[in-house]
Amino acid sequence: MAETTRRFFPYESPYPNQGEAMERIAAALGDGDDVLFEGAPGTGKTLSALVPALEHAREEDRTVVITTNVHQQMRQFVEEARAINDEEPLRAVVFKGKSSMCHIDVEYQECQTLRDTTREHVEDRAEKQELKQQQRELLDASREGDAAAAERREAVMDELADVEDRLEETETANICDHYRNNLLGDNQEFYDWLYDGVRTPEEIYEYADQQGLCGYELLKEGMEAVDLVVCNYHHLLDPNIREQFFRWLDRDPERVVTVFDEAHNIESAARDHASRSLTENTLDSALSELDDEDDSRAEAAENVLGAFRDALVGTYEDGFAFGEREQVDENWHDIPVANDNSRDDLTLAFLQQYEGSGIDTEIELAIQLGEAIDETYEEAYKNGEATSRAESQTLAAARFLATWMDENAEFGQHPMVSARRDAGTDELYGRAELYTCIPRRVTKELFDEVYASVLMSATLRPFDVAADVLGLEDPVTMAYGLAYPDDRRRTYTARTPALFASDRSDPEVQQSVTELVSDLIEFTPGNTLLFFPSYAEAERYHERLDGNQDPKLRLDSSEMETESLRQRFVESEGAALFTSLWGTLAEGVSFDGDDARTVAVIGVPYPHLDDRLEAVQDAYDRAYSGLREAGWRYAVEIPTIRKTRQAMGRVIRSPDDFGVRVLADKRYTRAAMGRYSVRDSFPEKEREELIDMNPKKLKFGMLNFYGDMDAYDGDSPSP
């Protein structure tokens, strides 16, 4: 390991390839280059990126921001930062959203108003004391014959009267006691404690609560000159939050180095951050709000918003196929509205429904009135006339409608309509949405403005696709596979029938898969992880193996809490966990050593090809028209293989570990050729490890391998 990275490396020696990766990333950062870094699970990616980034930041007066969207990874970042801090003093902050750190449980806008009112109240009280002191000094001077002092005292008394009037007006105003205590104290004790280690948001919340302080605001105000910030994706991917975040850091973007973990998730996260929506409920609230307004602009606002509301309802009602309406539950149900050669169905319905003096004119009037209403809500809350800070629904609806009319025909923006059933009333209500298909609209701006970024994941390849999709210009790329001994792992591809969605109910297919899953569990000397294309498929095979009668066969679902389920599973012996590849256990969760020995991906888990995914495919086809099947490759196949590789990486996490990995579907094998084969989508080195097996003979391969590892403790199963 180079001397330049040694001081931030907290352990005696690096993993295989870790030292080289740190040196290469250090060199890239020295040149201001972005990095795409793929490393096999369990090979120390976090330190490989974090150590050279911290060294660069220390030498060049920059701040490192490391971010993830996986909760379990946040805990790992804290552990690594604490280990570094034990060796080299580090000013580090672990940052979460306001909602998770608020002591009085109010929404963001309400918090902003409380904070501003509290600050004004405290500043007015301080000014009152200062003015009273001034007037006393001037009074003494005037009594000694200083005529000028008497005149100045009159001006001070006028100022004092104004301040007292303001204080009287805010006597019953809503303020935050925790934030007031922040303003009245010197808070040095808090910052001494904060930077004496690496504190989690939960620890900060508890400490601040005991002291009657607002830890969130103290954290924001004390982030200057930090070496490292750990945060969630949204602090960087949301442009508005990012601007505030860098301001809290007291850093211009070019003084920031970003490190993204689980970077294969940036695409979908950026897409979610860029998409915008408006519900029928918000429109109804806006129209109700306007009913109470005695303003000349109210009629125009009500006319344009009412027309859009009626068009939305008509669009989703007319869009249901026979029997589809009755199938809608509490989850959003998409109704396709986009058209190839004309505006979408909702916009066409709105244009037909609308009658007035002009859509743009009435939207602008609605925005103006909404802003006025919002200011009224602000003042009412500040003055204590309201117990919570309301937000103008007219303003929210009008701003969305302006965006809808301006942008829904733009390339990469896909208009959507959805409906869901209200859990309380069982009534349907709708939603209009502008769905962002190409994430580089969000990410390119971020990567262009910061000094450099390191994107790391176990599954970033193909690098050219990652760079194109995210808007990275000529990044440095590096990939490291498992450097652990080859003889301590086996990766099999089993020629079970292709688990096409249309064939999943076929009895012969189900029997073949059931026999394979049964063998995997029986011939694993320990726990088995089983990933299926969906929770429904996981439940199907759990039931076929009488899982409800066997407590060792555990079934995951979308409602399960990840960490508690994982803990119960790893505490078992000889257990099997049935889950979905698209759930929370497929990445960011480690199963070290005896936690799990065998992992299997059953089927090629392509996502459901709904209207959203088809829109993304179409957008990529148009963006990369010179590439054959670019939409399918970028939007479907590559993300699916990345998820599959992530799941395969849940086991074999250290050089001493061992295990078996299985891909069960003939499309993974050499026998599958043509468009349905996915074998060539894996990186070359990983393809070389794949061993094709007859599913009925796979158990013999497992028996031999685990026997060689002495894993059966002298009591191997009989084939």
Side-chain angles (χ1 to χ4, degrees):
M1 190 193 323
E3 194 64 37
T4 54
T5 56
R6 186 177 299 279
R7 64 170 164 170
F8 285 102
F9 190 78
Y11 306 118
E12 186 174 338
S13 60
Y15 284 144
N17 296 326
Q18 200 174 34
E20 179 186 329
M22 286 189 283
E23 291 181 20
R24 293 183 64 190
I25 291 172
L29 293 178
D31 294 336
D33 291 332
D34 297 319
V35 178
L36 291 176
F37 169 34
E38 180 175 295
T43 55
K45 288 188 298 297
T46 300
L47 284 179
S48 295
L50 189 54
V51 166
L54 286 171
E55 180 64 37
H56 172 87
R58 180 69 60 88
E59 293 297 319
E60 302 294 335
D61 186 29
R62 290 191 167 93
T63 293
V64 177
V65 178
I66 186 167
T67 180
T68 183
N69 70 333
V70 179
H71 182 67
Q72 291 82 358
Q73 288 300 105
M74 187 81 78
R75 289 200 294 267
Q76 182 185 341
F77 292 165
V78 172
E79 291 172 6
E80 301 284 25
R82 285 172 171 168
I84 292 171
N85 188 59
D86 289 342
E87 300 297 321
E88 177 73 18
L90 192 68
R91 283 174 63 88
V93 167
V94 184
F95 204 79
K96 281 181 113 175
K98 187 206 75 65
S99 61
S100 64
M101 297 182 69
C102 183
H103 302 271
I104 56 175
D105 194 26
V106 295
E107 297 297 327
Y108 179 79
Q109 190 61 51
E110 191 170 340
C111 174
Q112 295 290 94
T113 303
L114 272 177
R115 187 192 64 184
D116 293 345
T117 305
T118 303
R119 181 180 287 277
E120 290 171 6
H121 187 76
V122 169
E123 289 175 349
D124 282 345
R125 283 192 171 278
E127 186 178 0
K128 177 181 176 181
Q129 294 304 315
E130 183 180 335
L131 291 171
K132 288 177 72 173
Q133 178 64 27
Q134 286 182 28
Q135 75 86 17
R136 281 195 295 266
E137 293 172 356
L138 291 169
L139 178 61
D140 291 342
S142 66
R143 284 173 175 171
E144 294 176 2
D146 187 342
E151 291 181 9
R152 290 200 302 274
R153 180 176 180 272
E154 287 185 15
V156 168
M157 292 300 293
D158 288 341
E159 289 183 49
L160 183 59
D162 290 341
V163 170
E164 288 176 336
D165 287 344
R166 291 203 302 271
L167 284 170
E168 185 177 352
E169 290 174 2
T170 61
E171 191 65 34
T172 58
N174 294 300
I175 63 171
C176 174
D177 291 333
H178 290 80
Y179 184 56
R180 181 181 61 187
N181 293 338
N182 287 11
L183 298 173
L184 295 175
D186 66 11
N187 303 315
Q188 190 56 49
E189 183 179 343
F190 170 83
Y191 290 116
D192 289 343
W193 168 84
L194 177 67
Y195 291 116
D196 190 43
V198 179
R199 312 298 185 181
T200 66
E202 293 75 19
E203 290 169 338
I204 294 169
Y205 176 92
E206 183 177 353
Y207 182 95
D209 200 52
Q210 290 173 354
Q211 304 296 320
L213 302 170
C214 175
Y216 178 76
E217 290 295 331
L218 286 174
L219 204 56
K220 280 169 46 180
E221 293 167 11
M223 287 170 62
E224 300 94 341
V226 294
D227 299 300
L228 173 67
V229 181
V230 180
C231 66
N232 297 316
Y233 272 7
H234 70 266
H235 289 106
L236 295 179
L237 293 180
D238 186 301
N240 295 323
I241 296 176
R242 181 170 72 244
E243 182 180 353
Q244 292 181 350
F245 188 62
F246 288 162
R247 191 160 54 244
W248 299 336
L249 285 176
D250 195 26
R251 292 290 199 185
D252 292 330
E254 62 267 20
R255 307 306 303 173
V256 174
V257 175
T258 63
V259 179
F260 279 82
D261 191 37
E262 306 294 350
H264 59 281
N265 288 325
I266 296 176
E267 179 181 356
S268 60
R271 189 175 286 125
D272 290 341
H273 277 286
S275 299
R276 285 150 290 183
S277 63
L278 174 68
T279 69
E280 182 183 337
N281 290 353
T282 299
L283 285 163
D284 286 340
S285 296
L287 294 171
S288 177
E289 186 177 68
L290 291 168
D291 279 343
D292 298 329
E293 288 298 314
D294 184 17
D295 187 291
S296 60
R297 296 166 291 189
E299 183 177 352
E302 190 169 2
N303 183 58
V304 71
L305 295 181
F308 191 74
R309 186 261 182 205
D310 293 343
L312 173 61
V313 174
T315 299
Y316 71 73
E317 290 288 4
D318 293 345
F320 288 131
F322 178 77
E324 187 178 4
R325 192 182 198 280
E326 290 69 31
Q327 297 173 10
V328 177
D329 57 19
E330 296 172 20
N331 299 308
W332 286 111
H333 179 89
D334 291 339
I335 298 116
V337 296
N339 297 306
D340 291 335
N341 300 313
S342 66
R343 298 294 292 266
D344 61 276
D345 291 345
L346 173 55
T347 302
L348 293 174
F350 173 51
L351 294 174
Q352 185 173 13
Q353 184 81 29
Y354 175 79
E355 294 180 359
S357 57
I359 290 175
D360 291 344
T361 299
E362 294 196 340
I363 290 175
E364 179 58 33
L365 291 172
I367 291 174
Q368 292 175 10
L369 179 55
E371 290 173 340
I373 294 171
D374 207 58
E375 289 174 6
T376 301
Y377 291 154
E378 173 93 3
E379 288 301 314
Y381 184 60
K382 287 174 64 174
N383 297 333
E385 298 167 13
T387 58
S388 62
R389 203 292 193 187
E391 296 184 44
S392 172
Q393 302 304 293
T394 299
L395 181 59
R399 282 177 172 170
F400 174 85
L401 184 51
T403 302
W404 177 274
M405 297 304 294
D406 288 342
E407 297 184 13
N408 79 347
E410 288 186 6
F411 170 66
Q413 294 285 80
H414 186 69
M416 298 285 303
V417 167
S418 310
R420 70 190 293 186
R421 200 170 294 279
D422 187 287
T425 65
D426 204 41
E427 296 291 325
L428 289 188
Y429 66 97
R431 177 182 70 180
E433 179 182 4
L434 278 176
Y435 182 64
T436 299
C437 297
I438 302 208
R440 66 182 295 151
R441 291 166 58 98
V442 175
T443 55
K444 181 173 173 52
E445 179 182 347
L446 164 64
F447 295 132
D448 284 349
E449 70 180 19
V450 298
Y451 171 75
S453 297
V454 180
L455 280 62
M456 59 182 181
S457 169
T459 55
L460 265 184
R461 287 180 285 179
F463 289 135
D464 61 329
V465 174
D468 281 347
V469 166
L470 299 177
L472 291 167
E473 300 293 335
D474 196 25
V476 173
T477 62
M478 58 188 73
Y480 297 97
L482 276 174
Y484 308 148
D486 293 348
D487 60 358
R488 299 186 69 81
R489 65 180 182 271
R490 291 290 184 273
T491 307
Y492 296 112
T493 53
R495 294 192 297 273
T496 51
L499 209 59
F500 293 116
S502 58
D503 294 337
R504 291 175 187 172
S505 298
D506 187 313
E508 292 184 8
V509 172
Q510 292 183 13
Q511 184 60 31
S512 177
V513 173
T514 301
E515 290 173 359
L516 175 70
V517 171
S518 178
D519 286 346
L520 291 174
I521 297 169
E522 181 180 354
F523 287 87
T524 296
N527 292 343
T528 306
L529 272 172
L530 301 161
F531 291 98
F532 292 84
S534 67
Y535 285 117
E537 286 300 291
E539 184 177 9
R540 182 201 300 275
Y541 289 98
H542 181 263
E543 290 179 354
R544 286 183 65 87
L545 289 169
D546 293 326
N548 295 328
Q549 309 300 318
D550 188 344
K552 289 190 175 183
L553 302 185
R554 299 185 178 276
L555 178 64
D556 188 17
S557 72
S558 58
E559 288 80 28
M560 287 278 187
E561 200 280 315
T562 300
E563 185 54 31
S564 62
L565 174 63
R566 178 195 171 281
Q567 196 60 41
R568 292 195 303 273
F569 172 65
V570 302
E571 289 172 354
S572 305
E573 293 184 8
L577 179 56
F578 295 67
T579 187
S580 168
L581 187 86
W582 299 97
T584 56
L585 289 169
E587 59 182 85
V589 183
S590 298
F591 294 87
D592 303 331
D594 293 333
D595 290 352
R597 285 293 173 206
T598 297
V599 59
V601 176
I602 314 298
V604 180
Y606 289 127
H608 175 59
L609 299 181
D610 57 14
D611 187 54
R612 291 170 188 268
L613 193 52
E614 289 179 358
V616 175
Q617 278 188 253
D618 179 65
Y620 281 134
D621 277 331
R622 292 166 61 192
Y624 302 98
S625 57
L627 297 177
R628 182 172 174 270
E629 295 190 331
W632 171 262
R633 185 166 179 259
Y634 281 30
V636 182
E637 185 169 280
I638 289 174
T640 298
I641 298 304
R642 282 177 177 158
K643 289 291 287 186
T644 302
R645 295 174 62 212
Q646 281 284 331
M648 298 283 279
R650 295 314 92 206
V651 301
I652 315 175
R653 310 284 297 186
S654 71
D656 297 328
D657 209 349
F658 63 90
V660 168
R661 305 179 297 182
V662 178
L663 296 168
D665 190 301
K666 69 179 183 181
R667 288 171 287 180
Y668 293 114
T669 69
R670 289 189 182 89
M673 304 302 290
R675 73 172 281 135
Y676 295 115
S677 174
V678 296
R679 191 184 186 95
D680 287 344
S681 296
F682 288 81
E684 183 179 358
K685 293 281 188 185
E686 295 179 21
R687 289 200 304 271
E688 292 173 357
E689 286 196 32
L690 301 180
I691 303 170
D692 287 359
M693 292 287 284
N694 182 317
K696 295 184 181 298
K697 295 182 179 180
L698 180 57
K699 57 188 174 185
F700 296 104
M702 295 176 65
L703 186 65
N704 291 335
F705 171 76
Y706 283 125
D708 291 342
M709 294 292 107
D710 294 326
Y712 290 119
D713 295 326
D715 187 23
S716 60
S718 176

